[in-house]
Amino acid sequence: NSTSITTADGLTQRNSARVQFNLANVYLQAKKYDLALETYQRSINIDPTDHDALPLYHAGQILFFKGQHEDAARYLEKAVNGFFSPLTIQEEEIWHDYALSLWFVQKPEASVLHFQKALAINPQFTKAMNNMACAAGLGAITGVLPRDYYQHAINALDQAVRLEPGNVLYWRNAVALMSAGGDESRAVATWQQLVAMDPQGATNPPRDCSWEFYFR
């Protein structure tokens, strides 16, 4: 099958950036993250002048997943400045993951800014709305961002809920931020709406904002 052929090619053609990239994709799909990362890095190192965003992006995603946020941010910064085909990945996904990595390296303003860039490309990108809300809301509540970021966070979650009213995560994050922000009346009202809509999803009121992250 095609996976076996790709694996065989990758094990023999170790000096081809494209073949190594394809092999890394096989490892990523199989959740062999260490092997995938090593192979993406080999693909990148074969031709450092190649500005293909995808090996950088996938390597950055794996590093983020492994908790190596500084390294992830470096790879993802290169990815957003690289070249890619819209047929293989949407540009907003790359900006989104770069924004997410920036929050985890204590760059909250830059994080929110890059979430906004992702949303400028795709205004209906609810994952970016949710994670921007977490960054802006937590930043405002903890004092690392100005207080007015809190309302921006609530507005982003309101928009996400309007686009995906059945997404329990977005409702729970709104409750978590409202509670942490001292906005108890709105938190209670929002929680009651969620309970009425989805009693099973409304178990145990949330205490923290939950991020969305997926391998692409």
Side-chain angles (χ1 to χ4, degrees):
N1 59 34
S2 61
T3 299
S4 299
I5 294 169
T6 300
T7 303
D9 286 346
L11 294 175
T12 55
Q13 301 181 46
R14 294 176 65 85
N15 293 320
S16 166
R18 177 52 51 185
V19 170
Q20 291 303 304
F21 171 72
N22 291 337
L23 176 61
N25 289 341
V26 170
Y27 289 144
L28 180 60
Q29 290 172 0
K31 300 183 180 180
K32 297 178 179 179
Y33 299 124
D34 290 337
L35 272 174
L37 176 59
E38 177 186 335
T39 311
Y40 284 125
Q41 289 171 328
R42 186 182 305 122
S43 172
I44 293 162
N45 292 335
I46 287 168
D47 185 4
T49 64
D50 185 359
H51 298 294
D52 186 351
L54 286 181
L56 296 161
Y57 172 64
H58 291 310
Q61 277 206 312
I62 294 169
L63 287 163
F64 180 84
F65 179 74
K66 289 164 66 71
Q68 297 172 233
H69 299 131
E70 294 280 356
D71 290 334
R74 281 195 290 271
Y75 275 87
L76 291 167
E77 181 179 19
K78 291 179 181 179
V80 296
N81 291 300
F83 303 111
F84 67 96
S85 167
L87 297 175
T88 55
I89 193 164
Q90 286 76 38
E91 184 180 4
E92 63 267 25
E93 292 283 356
I94 303 176
W95 285 102
H96 169 275
D97 284 5
Y98 179 45
L100 187 58
S101 73
L102 288 172
W103 170 263
F104 283 89
V105 295
Q106 289 76 55
K107 294 181 179 178
E109 285 190 72
S111 174
V112 173
L113 175 64
H114 286 84
F115 281 128
Q116 289 172 336
K117 287 183 179 180
L119 286 164
I121 298 166
N122 180 359
Q124 296 189 319
F125 190 14
T126 53
K127 180 172 67 173
M129 293 174 196
N130 175 71
N131 286 343
M132 183 176 70
C134 287
L138 293 174
I141 290 163
T142 58
V144 298
L145 289 174
R147 184 64 191 179
D148 61 353
Y149 276 68
Y150 170 77
Q151 191 55 50
H152 293 319
I154 300 304
N155 291 345
L157 282 171
D158 180 67
Q159 188 177 1
V161 164
R162 290 176 188 276
L163 288 168
E164 292 187 28
N167 192 317
V168 172
L169 176 66
Y170 300 158
W171 288 88
R172 291 180 64 85
N173 280 348
V175 172
L177 288 179
M178 290 170 184
S179 298
D183 201 351
E184 287 298 336
S185 60
R186 276 206 291 180
V188 170
T190 303
W191 181 249
Q192 289 173 341
Q193 282 182 274
L194 177 56
V195 170
M197 180 186 76
D198 186 354
Q200 290 185 331
T203 56
N204 301 322
R207 298 186 178 275
D208 201 1
C209 207
S210 296
W211 306 92
E212 275 188 281
F213 172 80
Y214 314 110
F215 283 111
R216 305 299 299 177

